[in-house]
Amino acid sequence: MEHVGIVGAGTMGRGIAYVAITHGVQVTLYDVAPGALESAAAQIEAWLGEATARGRLDEGEARRARDRLRLSATLEDLAGAEIVIEAAPENLALKQEIFRQLDTICPPGTILASNTSSLSITALGAVTRRPDRVAGMHFFNPAPIMRLVEVVRGLATSEETVRALVDLARRWGKTPVVVKDTPGFIVNRVARPFYLEALRLIGEGVADPPTVDRLVRALGFRMGPFELMDLIGLDVNLSVSESIYHAFFEEPRFRPHPLQRQMVQAGRLGRKTGKGWYEYE
Ligand code: NAD
């Protein structure tokens, strides 16, 4: 594996790009939004600086990693990649359109992976002529730090594709877990009550976000549900909540909470907008 294409330079795309370039892989990072690529490059530069300052990378390694990153606003530039990892917004129609385009741009052997948190890998593969080479490669936030990667096997995904992604995750220092294509896979399925019950608590006025977060941290979790929603992005968290709810045919256990939508309507998306359940510098 020498060249990986990444679609979407947001929170996850830039994190995955950092992991790849610091493990010897050339990356073409693509985005459509003005400024997204520059912002991703600045963040990656900051991570490289931090890693050098802490002695995790020497100056030469950081320079070589930097040289492996290409930014592009042209999807066709991903044609030379052996694997493309899509990290665009959590919207099935949008992702299907991207997969349709990638299918025409990339040679038939290229693996097309999605970083989706909850959407059907089978539905993404179905819009391509290579559903056997379509799979999920679900990194967690922040991608440079979190070791778990869910490798998601769609109904038509081949064993060879699963093996290639498991090997790649291992080479990148990650811990891959192969999961079935089911709404939310394992982690986001298990995490539903973590967020939703906490939202119900504050919705009913039982406690406020800092209290719930403190209690959950006291139980041994690294972060409480509101801190984690702010890290993930409330827009992303709402999309994932809605996608899992609908995918289970409106199962009441998974019903999103009106407060999530209200926060998104207010533009309080968490750390990335400086304000969510908490305020940030
Ligand atoms: P984000 O909003 O931070 O970034 C999405 C990026 O995609 C933006 O830069 C946007 O400009 C770009 N984009 C929009 N339309 C595009 C298109 N047509 N082509 C290319 N780029 C396009 O979102 P994110 O948090 O990075 O999430 C991306 C994916 O990763 C989602 O599927 C999400 O569910 C998943 N995910 C997110 C997290 C998290 O904690 N944020 C964790 C794991 C997985």
Side-chain angles (χ1 to χ4, degrees):
M1 185 66 49
E2 284 172 10
H3 183 186
V4 167
I6 298 176
V7 177
T11 308
M12 295 309 293
R14 61 187 63 180
I16 299 166
Y18 176 83
V19 173
I21 59 170
T22 51
H23 285 84
V25 175
Q26 196 193 318
V27 167
T28 304
L29 180 60
Y30 162 84
D31 203 291
V32 287
L37 292 170
E38 291 69 25
S39 148
Q43 168 92 71
I44 289 170
E45 191 54 46
W47 281 329
L48 287 172
E50 220 173 281
T52 315
R54 293 190 177 175
R56 283 193 306 245
L57 291 178
D58 66 34
E59 293 290 345
E61 285 166 333
R63 194 183 54 251
R64 285 192 290 281
R66 194 175 294 121
D67 289 346
R68 290 185 195 111
L69 181 66
R70 295 272 171 282
L71 305 175
S72 172
T74 309
L75 195 62
E76 281 73 14
D77 286 346
L78 274 55
E82 293 137 280
I83 290 189
V84 177
I85 303 172
E86 168 275 317
E90 190 77 345
N91 173 309
L92 183 62
L94 173 82
K95 287 187 192 284
Q96 282 181 319
E97 185 47 37
I98 292 170
F99 273 71
R100 248 183 234 113
Q101 290 178 28
L102 288 171
D103 193 40
T104 63
I105 291 167
C106 300
T110 308
I111 292 178
L112 306 179
S114 176
N115 188 55
T116 178
S117 307
S118 63
L119 297 169
S120 164
I121 295 301
T122 306
L124 293 178
V127 301
T128 72
R129 289 159 299 178
R130 66 184 87 192
D132 57 316
R133 300 189 78 72
V134 172
M137 191 172 194
H138 183 209
F139 291 81
F140 292 83
N141 186 12
I145 294 171
M146 300 296 280
R147 302 195 71 158
L148 182 67
V149 172
E150 287 178 324
V151 174
V152 188
R153 190 201 304 267
L155 214 54
T157 308
S158 71
E159 197 47 48
E160 192 191 345
T161 299
V162 169
R163 221 177 306 121
L165 295 182
V166 164
D167 286 351
L168 182 63
R170 287 211 180 103
R171 258 180 286 143
W172 287 357
K174 301 296 183 193
T175 307
V177 172
V178 179
V179 302
K180 267 186 163 179
D181 186 17
T182 175
F185 318 124
I186 297 174
V187 173
N188 274 296
R189 169 89 169 266
V190 168
R192 275 322 86 199
F194 184 71
Y195 303 117
L196 295 178
E197 209 49 47
L199 284 158
R200 288 181 192 123
L201 278 174
I202 67 156
E204 291 165 20
V206 175
D208 59 6
T211 308
V212 175
D213 282 343
R214 259 202 320 277
L215 284 168
V216 170
R217 265 189 275 108
L219 289 170
F221 284 80
R222 289 288 292 274
M223 296 176 93
F226 296 98
E227 294 163 321
L228 188 52
M229 278 184 258
D230 274 4
L231 177 74
I232 290 167
L234 274 92
D235 52 339
V236 175
N237 191 256
L238 174 64
S239 301
V240 173
S241 303
E242 289 179 338
S243 134
I244 295 176
Y245 175 60
H246 293 305
F248 280 113
F249 302 101
E250 287 75 43
E251 159 66 48
R253 272 189 303 148
F254 299 132
R255 183 178 295 142
H257 197 282
L259 279 174
Q260 286 173 287
R261 185 182 289 150
Q262 191 183 52
M263 293 290 281
V264 173
Q265 285 167 339
R268 295 186 189 179
L269 306 184
R271 285 173 188 253
K272 62 184 168 188
T273 54
K275 197 169 185 179
W277 299 108
Y278 299 94
E279 288 194 18
Y280 301 89
E281 291 282 306

mmCIF file of all heavy atoms in Angstrom, residues 7-14 30-33 36 86-91 94-95 98 114-118 138-141 188 231-233 235-236 240 272, ligand 1:
data_model
loop_
_atom_site.group_PDB
_atom_site.id
_atom_site.type_symbol
_atom_site.label_atom_id
_atom_site.label_comp_id
_atom_site.label_asym_id
_atom_site.label_seq_id
_atom_site.Cartn_x
_atom_site.Cartn_y
_atom_site.Cartn_z
ATOM 1 N N VAL A 7 -11.407 11.177 0.915
ATOM 2 C CA VAL A 7 -12.456 12.110 0.478
ATOM 3 C C VAL A 7 -13.053 12.769 1.719
ATOM 4 O O VAL A 7 -13.631 12.087 2.568
ATOM 5 C CB VAL A 7 -13.564 11.346 -0.291
ATOM 6 C CG1 VAL A 7 -14.697 12.308 -0.680
ATOM 7 C CG2 VAL A 7 -12.985 10.678 -1.527
ATOM 8 N N GLY A 8 -12.902 14.078 1.826
ATOM 9 C CA GLY A 8 -13.398 14.806 3.005
ATOM 10 C C GLY A 8 -12.230 15.103 3.931
ATOM 11 O O GLY A 8 -11.561 14.181 4.411
ATOM 12 N N ALA A 9 -11.970 16.415 4.144
ATOM 13 C CA ALA A 9 -10.806 16.818 4.957
ATOM 14 C C ALA A 9 -11.244 17.394 6.293
ATOM 15 O O ALA A 9 -10.571 18.243 6.866
ATOM 16 C CB ALA A 9 -9.970 17.839 4.173
ATOM 17 N N GLY A 10 -12.396 16.941 6.791
ATOM 18 C CA GLY A 10 -12.912 17.437 8.074
ATOM 19 C C GLY A 10 -12.217 16.764 9.245
ATOM 20 O O GLY A 10 -11.064 16.308 9.141
ATOM 21 N N THR A 11 -12.933 16.685 10.357
ATOM 22 C CA THR A 11 -12.379 16.114 11.585
ATOM 23 C C THR A 11 -11.719 14.763 11.325
ATOM 24 O O THR A 11 -10.575 14.521 11.721
ATOM 25 C CB THR A 11 -13.510 15.917 12.626
ATOM 26 O OG1 THR A 11 -14.220 17.147 12.754
ATOM 27 C CG2 THR A 11 -12.991 15.463 13.965
ATOM 28 N N MET A 12 -12.429 13.869 10.641
ATOM 29 C CA MET A 12 -11.928 12.506 10.476
ATOM 30 C C MET A 12 -10.949 12.371 9.314
ATOM 31 O O MET A 12 -9.908 11.724 9.442
ATOM 32 C CB MET A 12 -13.102 11.527 10.285
ATOM 33 C CG MET A 12 -14.002 11.423 11.493
ATOM 34 S SD MET A 12 -13.128 11.094 13.042
ATOM 35 C CE MET A 12 -12.530 9.436 12.756
ATOM 36 N N GLY A 13 -11.265 12.992 8.185
ATOM 37 C CA GLY A 13 -10.403 12.865 7.009
ATOM 38 C C GLY A 13 -8.987 13.330 7.297
ATOM 39 O O GLY A 13 -8.006 12.663 6.934
ATOM 40 N N ARG A 14 -8.858 14.470 8.006
ATOM 41 C CA ARG A 14 -7.516 14.977 8.284
ATOM 42 C C ARG A 14 -6.778 14.082 9.289
ATOM 43 O O ARG A 14 -5.566 13.893 9.191
ATOM 44 C CB ARG A 14 -7.578 16.425 8.771
ATOM 45 C CG ARG A 14 -8.360 16.630 10.051
ATOM 46 C CD ARG A 14 -8.534 18.089 10.411
ATOM 47 N NE ARG A 14 -9.302 18.842 9.425
ATOM 48 C CZ ARG A 14 -9.580 20.139 9.531
ATOM 49 N NH1 ARG A 14 -9.151 20.822 10.566
ATOM 50 N NH2 ARG A 14 -10.294 20.745 8.623
ATOM 51 N N TYR A 30 -8.822 15.067 -0.524
ATOM 52 C CA TYR A 30 -9.735 15.821 -1.390
ATOM 53 C C TYR A 30 -10.891 16.388 -0.575
ATOM 54 O O TYR A 30 -11.403 15.733 0.331
ATOM 55 C CB TYR A 30 -10.258 14.863 -2.471
ATOM 56 C CG TYR A 30 -11.510 15.327 -3.169
ATOM 57 C CD1 TYR A 30 -11.443 16.208 -4.253
ATOM 58 C CD2 TYR A 30 -12.773 14.886 -2.757
ATOM 59 C CE1 TYR A 30 -12.600 16.640 -4.892
ATOM 60 C CE2 TYR A 30 -13.924 15.311 -3.395
ATOM 61 C CZ TYR A 30 -13.835 16.189 -4.460
ATOM 62 O OH TYR A 30 -14.977 16.620 -5.086
ATOM 63 N N ASP A 31 -11.307 17.608 -0.903
ATOM 64 C CA ASP A 31 -12.504 18.183 -0.273
ATOM 65 C C ASP A 31 -13.128 19.170 -1.251
ATOM 66 O O ASP A 31 -12.459 19.669 -2.154
ATOM 67 C CB ASP A 31 -12.146 18.902 1.042
ATOM 68 C CG ASP A 31 -13.327 19.031 1.999
ATOM 69 O OD1 ASP A 31 -14.276 19.804 1.673
ATOM 70 O OD2 ASP A 31 -13.338 18.370 3.049
ATOM 71 N N VAL A 32 -14.419 19.453 -1.040
ATOM 72 C CA VAL A 32 -15.119 20.396 -1.927
ATOM 73 C C VAL A 32 -15.241 21.794 -1.325
ATOM 74 O O VAL A 32 -15.471 22.759 -2.040
ATOM 75 C CB VAL A 32 -16.558 19.914 -2.263
ATOM 76 C CG1 VAL A 32 -16.517 18.759 -3.230
ATOM 77 C CG2 VAL A 32 -17.344 19.555 -1.002
ATOM 78 N N ALA A 33 -15.138 21.890 0.005
ATOM 79 C CA ALA A 33 -15.429 23.173 0.656
ATOM 80 C C ALA A 33 -14.229 24.110 0.603
ATOM 81 O O ALA A 33 -13.097 23.679 0.875
ATOM 82 C CB ALA A 33 -15.833 22.941 2.100
ATOM 83 N N ALA A 36 -11.328 24.100 3.435
ATOM 84 C CA ALA A 36 -11.240 22.851 4.217
ATOM 85 C C ALA A 36 -9.846 22.223 4.105
ATOM 86 O O ALA A 36 -9.291 21.734 5.101
ATOM 87 C CB ALA A 36 -12.303 21.858 3.761
ATOM 88 N N GLU A 86 -13.432 7.221 2.267
ATOM 89 C CA GLU A 86 -14.371 8.349 2.196
ATOM 90 C C GLU A 86 -14.744 8.778 3.610
ATOM 91 O O GLU A 86 -15.127 7.945 4.431
ATOM 92 C CB GLU A 86 -15.592 7.905 1.362
ATOM 93 C CG GLU A 86 -16.777 8.828 1.418
ATOM 94 C CD GLU A 86 -17.635 8.522 2.633
ATOM 95 O OE1 GLU A 86 -17.869 7.336 2.921
ATOM 96 O OE2 GLU A 86 -18.041 9.494 3.303
ATOM 97 N N ALA A 87 -14.581 10.088 3.884
ATOM 98 C CA ALA A 87 -14.949 10.643 5.207
ATOM 99 C C ALA A 87 -15.731 11.937 4.995
ATOM 100 O O ALA A 87 -15.421 12.974 5.564
ATOM 101 C CB ALA A 87 -13.700 10.880 6.056
ATOM 102 N N ALA A 88 -16.740 11.852 4.139
ATOM 103 C CA ALA A 88 -17.636 12.990 3.865
ATOM 104 C C ALA A 88 -18.786 12.943 4.883
ATOM 105 O O ALA A 88 -18.898 11.987 5.655
ATOM 106 C CB ALA A 88 -18.152 12.888 2.434
ATOM 107 N N PRO A 89 -19.651 13.967 4.911
ATOM 108 C CA PRO A 89 -20.729 13.985 5.917
ATOM 109 C C PRO A 89 -21.616 12.732 5.899
ATOM 110 O O PRO A 89 -21.756 12.058 4.879
ATOM 111 C CB PRO A 89 -21.532 15.235 5.536
ATOM 112 C CG PRO A 89 -20.525 16.142 4.906
ATOM 113 C CD PRO A 89 -19.623 15.223 4.128
ATOM 114 N N GLU A 90 -22.194 12.463 7.079
ATOM 115 C CA GLU A 90 -22.990 11.239 7.297
ATOM 116 C C GLU A 90 -24.365 11.355 6.623
ATOM 117 O O GLU A 90 -25.392 11.571 7.281
ATOM 118 C CB GLU A 90 -23.127 11.003 8.811
ATOM 119 C CG GLU A 90 -23.719 9.658 9.206
ATOM 120 C CD GLU A 90 -22.735 8.511 9.080
ATOM 121 O OE1 GLU A 90 -21.684 8.661 8.430
ATOM 122 O OE2 GLU A 90 -23.037 7.449 9.632
ATOM 123 N N ASN A 91 -24.370 11.217 5.304
ATOM 124 C CA ASN A 91 -25.603 11.342 4.532
ATOM 125 C C ASN A 91 -25.521 10.312 3.417
ATOM 126 O O ASN A 91 -24.588 10.342 2.603
ATOM 127 C CB ASN A 91 -25.654 12.782 3.984
ATOM 128 C CG ASN A 91 -26.787 13.002 3.022
ATOM 129 O OD1 ASN A 91 -26.972 12.260 2.068
ATOM 130 N ND2 ASN A 91 -27.532 14.059 3.263
ATOM 131 N N LEU A 94 -25.474 11.502 -0.328
ATOM 132 C CA LEU A 94 -24.198 12.171 -0.649
ATOM 133 C C LEU A 94 -23.076 11.143 -0.816
ATOM 134 O O LEU A 94 -22.310 11.168 -1.780
ATOM 135 C CB LEU A 94 -23.849 13.162 0.471
ATOM 136 C CG LEU A 94 -22.483 13.821 0.368
ATOM 137 C CD1 LEU A 94 -22.536 15.006 -0.586
ATOM 138 C CD2 LEU A 94 -21.997 14.293 1.727
ATOM 139 N N LYS A 95 -23.012 10.203 0.120
ATOM 140 C CA LYS A 95 -21.945 9.197 0.045
ATOM 141 C C LYS A 95 -22.133 8.312 -1.190
ATOM 142 O O LYS A 95 -21.155 7.951 -1.850
ATOM 143 C CB LYS A 95 -21.922 8.345 1.316
ATOM 144 C CG LYS A 95 -21.365 9.096 2.543
ATOM 145 C CD LYS A 95 -21.195 8.162 3.723
ATOM 146 C CE LYS A 95 -20.928 8.865 5.045
ATOM 147 N NZ LYS A 95 -19.587 9.385 5.239
ATOM 148 N N ILE A 98 -20.763 10.033 -4.149
ATOM 149 C CA ILE A 98 -19.294 9.984 -4.147
ATOM 150 C C ILE A 98 -18.807 8.603 -4.607
ATOM 151 O O ILE A 98 -17.891 8.483 -5.420
ATOM 152 C CB ILE A 98 -18.743 10.329 -2.745
ATOM 153 C CG1 ILE A 98 -19.024 11.807 -2.434
ATOM 154 C CG2 ILE A 98 -17.262 10.010 -2.627
ATOM 155 C CD1 ILE A 98 -18.744 12.212 -0.987
ATOM 156 N N SER A 114 -15.451 3.282 3.396
ATOM 157 C CA SER A 114 -16.141 4.428 3.981
ATOM 158 C C SER A 114 -15.876 4.481 5.474
ATOM 159 O O SER A 114 -15.865 3.452 6.144
ATOM 160 C CB SER A 114 -17.654 4.325 3.754
ATOM 161 O OG SER A 114 -18.300 5.401 4.417
ATOM 162 N N ASN A 115 -15.697 5.703 5.963
ATOM 163 C CA ASN A 115 -15.522 5.900 7.403
ATOM 164 C C ASN A 115 -16.873 6.127 8.091
ATOM 165 O O ASN A 115 -16.933 6.573 9.237
ATOM 166 C CB ASN A 115 -14.600 7.110 7.631
ATOM 167 C CG ASN A 115 -14.210 7.289 9.072
ATOM 168 O OD1 ASN A 115 -13.686 6.380 9.697
ATOM 169 N ND2 ASN A 115 -14.494 8.450 9.639
ATOM 170 N N THR A 116 -17.962 5.822 7.400
ATOM 171 C CA THR A 116 -19.293 6.057 7.983
ATOM 172 C C THR A 116 -19.413 5.463 9.385
ATOM 173 O O THR A 116 -18.891 4.376 9.656
ATOM 174 C CB THR A 116 -20.412 5.487 7.087
ATOM 175 O OG1 THR A 116 -21.662 5.724 7.752
ATOM 176 C CG2 THR A 116 -20.272 4.003 6.821
ATOM 177 N N SER A 117 -20.154 6.180 10.248
ATOM 178 C CA SER A 117 -20.358 5.713 11.619
ATOM 179 C C SER A 117 -21.541 4.760 11.714
ATOM 180 O O SER A 117 -21.675 4.048 12.712
ATOM 181 C CB SER A 117 -20.680 6.903 12.528
ATOM 182 O OG SER A 117 -19.724 7.903 12.414
ATOM 183 N N SER A 118 -22.433 4.817 10.730
ATOM 184 C CA SER A 118 -23.695 4.099 10.935
ATOM 185 C C SER A 118 -24.378 3.640 9.656
ATOM 186 O O SER A 118 -25.253 2.786 9.705
ATOM 187 C CB SER A 118 -24.673 5.018 11.672
ATOM 188 O OG SER A 118 -24.978 6.158 10.876
ATOM 189 N N HIS A 138 -13.897 2.145 9.753
ATOM 190 C CA HIS A 138 -14.432 3.147 10.675
ATOM 191 C C HIS A 138 -13.425 3.475 11.770
ATOM 192 O O HIS A 138 -13.260 2.714 12.724
ATOM 193 C CB HIS A 138 -15.746 2.617 11.276
ATOM 194 C CG HIS A 138 -16.420 3.581 12.183
ATOM 195 N ND1 HIS A 138 -17.211 3.193 13.245
ATOM 196 C CD2 HIS A 138 -16.426 4.941 12.204
ATOM 197 C CE1 HIS A 138 -17.661 4.262 13.863
ATOM 198 N NE2 HIS A 138 -17.204 5.338 13.249
ATOM 199 N N PHE A 139 -12.769 4.630 11.594
ATOM 200 C CA PHE A 139 -11.829 5.141 12.599
ATOM 201 C C PHE A 139 -12.616 5.906 13.649
ATOM 202 O O PHE A 139 -13.728 6.351 13.416
ATOM 203 C CB PHE A 139 -10.831 6.102 11.940
ATOM 204 C CG PHE A 139 -9.867 5.436 11.000
ATOM 205 C CD1 PHE A 139 -10.232 5.123 9.698
ATOM 206 C CD2 PHE A 139 -8.587 5.129 11.425
ATOM 207 C CE1 PHE A 139 -9.332 4.511 8.835
ATOM 208 C CE2 PHE A 139 -7.678 4.521 10.561
ATOM 209 C CZ PHE A 139 -8.056 4.209 9.268
ATOM 210 N N PHE A 140 -11.999 6.128 14.790
ATOM 211 C CA PHE A 140 -12.648 6.886 15.864
ATOM 212 C C PHE A 140 -11.901 8.193 16.099
ATOM 213 O O PHE A 140 -10.743 8.344 15.680
ATOM 214 C CB PHE A 140 -12.756 6.011 17.121
ATOM 215 C CG PHE A 140 -13.731 4.888 16.894
ATOM 216 C CD1 PHE A 140 -13.337 3.724 16.251
ATOM 217 C CD2 PHE A 140 -15.063 5.026 17.246
ATOM 218 C CE1 PHE A 140 -14.247 2.709 15.970
ATOM 219 C CE2 PHE A 140 -15.974 4.024 16.973
ATOM 220 C CZ PHE A 140 -15.567 2.860 16.331
ATOM 221 N N ASN A 141 -12.546 9.099 16.746
ATOM 222 C CA ASN A 141 -12.066 10.477 16.911
ATOM 223 C C ASN A 141 -11.405 10.662 18.273
ATOM 224 O O ASN A 141 -12.036 10.333 19.280
ATOM 225 C CB ASN A 141 -13.309 11.392 16.778
ATOM 226 C CG ASN A 141 -12.971 12.863 16.790
ATOM 227 O OD1 ASN A 141 -11.806 13.246 16.670
ATOM 228 N ND2 ASN A 141 -13.983 13.685 16.941
ATOM 229 N N ASN A 188 -21.235 2.382 17.714
ATOM 230 C CA ASN A 188 -22.291 3.394 17.725
ATOM 231 C C ASN A 188 -23.652 2.826 18.122
ATOM 232 O O ASN A 188 -24.533 3.565 18.532
ATOM 233 C CB ASN A 188 -22.359 4.146 16.394
ATOM 234 C CG ASN A 188 -21.389 5.308 16.411
ATOM 235 O OD1 ASN A 188 -21.544 6.229 17.202
ATOM 236 N ND2 ASN A 188 -20.363 5.244 15.580
ATOM 237 N N LEU A 231 -16.920 16.893 21.198
ATOM 238 C CA LEU A 231 -15.724 16.483 20.454
ATOM 239 C C LEU A 231 -16.114 15.951 19.071
ATOM 240 O O LEU A 231 -15.503 16.289 18.055
ATOM 241 C CB LEU A 231 -14.960 15.403 21.232
ATOM 242 C CG LEU A 231 -13.727 14.835 20.530
ATOM 243 C CD1 LEU A 231 -12.584 15.845 20.548
ATOM 244 C CD2 LEU A 231 -13.265 13.534 21.173
ATOM 245 N N ILE A 232 -17.153 15.134 19.048
ATOM 246 C CA ILE A 232 -17.587 14.509 17.788
ATOM 247 C C ILE A 232 -18.152 15.555 16.828
ATOM 248 O O ILE A 232 -17.929 15.502 15.617
ATOM 249 C CB ILE A 232 -18.683 13.452 18.087
ATOM 250 C CG1 ILE A 232 -18.064 12.259 18.807
ATOM 251 C CG2 ILE A 232 -19.416 13.019 16.840
ATOM 252 C CD1 ILE A 232 -19.089 11.332 19.423
ATOM 253 N N GLY A 233 -18.898 16.501 17.365
ATOM 254 C CA GLY A 233 -19.658 17.454 16.544
ATOM 255 C C GLY A 233 -21.132 17.103 16.694
ATOM 256 O O GLY A 233 -21.522 15.964 16.421
ATOM 257 N N ASP A 235 -23.648 18.035 14.995
ATOM 258 C CA ASP A 235 -24.273 17.737 13.702
ATOM 259 C C ASP A 235 -24.019 16.285 13.305
ATOM 260 O O ASP A 235 -24.933 15.572 12.874
ATOM 261 C CB ASP A 235 -23.765 18.708 12.618
ATOM 262 C CG ASP A 235 -22.238 18.772 12.553
ATOM 263 O OD1 ASP A 235 -21.555 18.423 13.539
ATOM 264 O OD2 ASP A 235 -21.722 19.172 11.487
ATOM 265 N N VAL A 236 -22.769 15.848 13.509
ATOM 266 C CA VAL A 236 -22.416 14.469 13.167
ATOM 267 C C VAL A 236 -23.186 13.509 14.079
ATOM 268 O O VAL A 236 -23.790 12.533 13.629
ATOM 269 C CB VAL A 236 -20.886 14.241 13.308
ATOM 270 C CG1 VAL A 236 -20.513 12.790 13.067
ATOM 271 C CG2 VAL A 236 -20.116 15.160 12.363
ATOM 272 N N VAL A 240 -25.911 10.647 12.926
ATOM 273 C CA VAL A 240 -25.734 9.228 13.269
ATOM 274 C C VAL A 240 -26.965 8.735 14.044
ATOM 275 O O VAL A 240 -27.496 7.656 13.771
ATOM 276 C CB VAL A 240 -24.437 9.018 14.077
ATOM 277 C CG1 VAL A 240 -24.321 7.586 14.575
ATOM 278 C CG2 VAL A 240 -23.214 9.388 13.243
ATOM 279 N N LYS A 272 -15.773 22.357 17.260
ATOM 280 C CA LYS A 272 -15.414 22.920 15.948
ATOM 281 C C LYS A 272 -16.022 24.292 15.716
ATOM 282 O O LYS A 272 -15.546 25.042 14.871
ATOM 283 C CB LYS A 272 -15.737 21.936 14.815
ATOM 284 C CG LYS A 272 -17.184 21.551 14.640
ATOM 285 C CD LYS A 272 -17.285 20.487 13.531
ATOM 286 C CE LYS A 272 -18.667 19.860 13.507
ATOM 287 N NZ LYS A 272 -18.741 18.720 12.584
HETATM 288 P P1 NAD B 1 -16.842 16.942 9.143
HETATM 289 O O1 NAD B 1 -18.090 17.711 8.958
HETATM 290 O O2 NAD B 1 -15.821 17.401 10.121
HETATM 291 O O3 NAD B 1 -16.065 16.809 7.728
HETATM 292 C C1 NAD B 1 -16.701 16.447 6.532
HETATM 293 C C2 NAD B 1 -15.911 17.042 5.383
HETATM 294 O O4 NAD B 1 -16.457 16.567 4.161
HETATM 295 C C3 NAD B 1 -15.981 18.580 5.333
HETATM 296 O O5 NAD B 1 -14.671 19.127 5.254
HETATM 297 C C4 NAD B 1 -16.780 18.857 4.061
HETATM 298 O O6 NAD B 1 -16.365 20.039 3.390
HETATM 299 C C5 NAD B 1 -16.459 17.642 3.240
HETATM 300 N N1 NAD B 1 -17.433 17.361 2.176
HETATM 301 C C6 NAD B 1 -18.741 17.663 2.096
HETATM 302 N N2 NAD B 1 -19.251 17.213 0.928
HETATM 303 C C7 NAD B 1 -18.233 16.608 0.266
HETATM 304 C C8 NAD B 1 -18.114 15.970 -0.988
HETATM 305 N N3 NAD B 1 -19.166 15.831 -1.803
HETATM 306 N N4 NAD B 1 -16.912 15.492 -1.354
HETATM 307 C C9 NAD B 1 -15.843 15.620 -0.537
HETATM 308 N N5 NAD B 1 -15.883 16.213 0.670
HETATM 309 C C10 NAD B 1 -17.071 16.698 1.058
HETATM 310 O O7 NAD B 1 -17.284 15.447 9.438
HETATM 311 P P2 NAD B 1 -16.449 14.291 10.196
HETATM 312 O O8 NAD B 1 -16.712 14.417 11.644
HETATM 313 O O9 NAD B 1 -15.065 14.263 9.676
HETATM 314 O O10 NAD B 1 -17.253 13.003 9.691
HETATM 315 C C11 NAD B 1 -16.990 12.413 8.431
HETATM 316 C C12 NAD B 1 -17.478 10.991 8.453
HETATM 317 O O11 NAD B 1 -16.802 10.282 9.495
HETATM 318 C C13 NAD B 1 -18.965 10.823 8.731
HETATM 319 O O12 NAD B 1 -19.446 9.731 8.003
HETATM 320 C C14 NAD B 1 -19.015 10.554 10.216
HETATM 321 O O13 NAD B 1 -20.166 9.841 10.606
HETATM 322 C C15 NAD B 1 -17.756 9.723 10.386
HETATM 323 N N6 NAD B 1 -17.183 9.719 11.739
HETATM 324 C C16 NAD B 1 -17.142 10.847 12.495
HETATM 325 C C17 NAD B 1 -16.583 10.805 13.770
HETATM 326 C C18 NAD B 1 -16.502 12.034 14.644
HETATM 327 O O14 NAD B 1 -16.277 11.877 15.853
HETATM 328 N N7 NAD B 1 -16.642 13.232 14.130
HETATM 329 C C19 NAD B 1 -16.043 9.602 14.251
HETATM 330 C C20 NAD B 1 -16.058 8.476 13.437
HETATM 331 C C21 NAD B 1 -16.640 8.539 12.178
#
